[in-house]
Amino acid sequence: MSRLFRIADSEINIARSGGRSHETSSALIVGTVALACLAGAARADEGGVSFWLPGFFGSLAAAPQQPGWSLTNIYYHTSVLAGGDVALAREFEIKRVPGNLSASAAATFSGNLNATGDLGIVMPTYTFATPFLGGQATVGVLGSYGVVSTSLAGTLAGTLTVPPFGSLPFSRFDSISDSVWGFGDLMPIASRRWNNGVHNYMTYITGDVPVGAYDSNRLSNIGIGHGAIDAGGGYTYLNPQTGHEFSGVLGFIYNFTNQSTQYQNGVDMHFDWAASQFLTKQFLIGAVGYVYKEIGCDSGSGDRVGCFQSQVVGVGPQLGFIIPLSTTTQGYLNLRSYWEFANQNRPDGWNTWVTFVISPAEQTPSAAPRRMITK
């Protein structure tokens, strides 16, 4: 549906051995953090669309990474459905509602909105070997390209203010659909990680640079039309002896005003979690989920729907495979899906991630050369 699908930082976290046995640490060197930001298919906030993308973080979100360059490649698909509340908000956004039609209290929309999105995301990152403020620093940037398709159908009704006749009943059937191909917004990201045995901690900051394909008069968009800053922290429990792992990341998003619509989204909160079990050195299985809730009200002169706070919950399975590529690089393939429920002022549906990461492999220290003894 409209807006972007945006994926902000989908990266692979490399858990360093730290003195563990080579067999165990090899099984734990890769996890997935999919930081994303696909806003597109109508998510929350203005018109049901937010900066945050379901699946923002995943397994091993706070685990240390191997120093050097990594390249994350993601295919993301989403399919969502929204009711009359989101459809009406989208009608206001694309200026399909007459200016003298009573807004949120009297205007209603009996119908729904459907959206699908397919995005390809590329994100290079670099992890520094030298500690920064006592932790491990990583920087990167995310770019995306894809297609978003949206359709809206239903009856718009309300009362029109027509001087000097006063208020008159108004009703109209709308059926709108469009799709757009293009680039998404750019998303720089920086993070810092600390390790203390099986406990790992992380802070991050990312944001939206609104340069993607966006038109406030269009139902489907690849960009979100405004800047945003997302910051938060996370924790990962990682036991290399048992192969148990659990991660949780809490973040908050501040949205700047959309200058095209004079609409400002409220502050968003998101909590992403993941749990996994390594069954072999190369294979893991687990569960993933997220909770999203808008904790601030929407505002601005372009806001005609009121506070419009949104929420949604999602859960699903995940599979991961470590693929040795050479003595110095490795690949990691992660498959996961989410099913959504408990939505409010926001569409729900399902989404699927296929992530492949190329990153430095854990290096096994070579044995010290044997000293020759001569008489």
Side-chain angles (χ1 to χ4, degrees), residues 98-339:
N100 56 344
L101 180 68
S102 299
S104 55
T108 61
F109 189 91
S110 301
N112 56 49
L113 181 150
N114 292 272
T116 60
D118 294 276
L119 287 182
I121 299 112
V122 176
M123 188 184 71
T125 58
Y126 183 79
T127 299
F128 296 89
T130 303
F132 174 70
L133 298 179
Q136 184 185 51
T138 299
V139 296
V141 64
L142 181 146
S144 61
Y145 182 85
V147 58
V148 175
S149 300
T150 309
S151 63
L152 180 154
T155 300
L156 174 68
T159 56
L160 282 172
T161 302
V162 184
F165 304 102
S167 297
L168 300 177
F170 172 87
S171 180
R172 181 185 74 205
F173 180 80
D174 279 347
S175 180
I176 314 168
S177 63
D178 69 12
S179 62
V180 59
W181 286 85
F183 289 98
D185 297 347
L186 289 178
M187 306 187 66
I189 181 167
S191 63
R192 194 155 48 114
R193 295 173 173 84
W194 299 265
N195 170 259
N196 182 18
V198 298
H199 305 292
N200 302 271
Y201 308 91
M202 179 267 291
T203 60
Y204 76 91
I205 184 169
T206 184
D208 183 83
V209 181
V211 295
Y214 174 79
D215 184 338
S216 61
N217 297 312
R218 188 169 56 204
L219 194 60
S220 297
N221 283 294
I222 304 293
I224 62 171
H226 66 85
I229 296 177
D230 180 12
Y235 168 79
T236 292
Y237 172 83
L238 177 60
N239 190 322
Q241 279 69 47
T242 63
H244 299 336
E245 179 268 340
F246 175 80
S247 295
V249 178
L250 177 66
F252 296 88
I253 302 170
Y254 176 82
N255 298 281
F256 295 95
T257 300
N258 184 333
Q259 297 301 319
S260 297
T261 62
Q262 294 304 307
Y263 193 109
Q264 184 173 18
N265 296 340
V267 174
D268 303 321
M269 179 190 73
H270 58 85
F271 178 74
D272 304 272
W273 62 268
S276 64
Q277 173 67 50
F278 280 85
L279 302 181
T280 71
K281 292 188 295 182
Q282 281 80 34
F283 175 65
L284 67 84
I285 188 171
V288 289
Y290 50 76
V291 177
Y292 165 88
K293 188 172 183 62
E294 186 180 358
I295 59 176
C297 285
D298 295 350
S299 61
S301 60
D303 178 13
R304 298 179 63 190
V305 294
C307 189
F308 206 63
Q309 289 180 310
S310 308
Q311 69 176 38
V312 74
V313 179
V315 295
Q318 70 164 328
L319 297 173
F321 306 88
I322 298 173
I323 306 170
L325 299 178
S326 71
T327 57
T328 59
T329 60
Q330 65 184 6
Y332 177 68
L333 176 65
N334 181 269
L335 310 174
R336 54 201 172 116
S337 291
Y338 299 85
W339 282 263

Side-chain angles (χ1 to χ4, degrees), residues 45-67:
D45 304 279
E46 182 180 13
V49 180
S50 65
F51 168 79
W52 176 78
L53 175 73
F56 204 68
F57 289 96
S59 288
L60 296 171
Q65 298 182 331
Q66 289 293 323

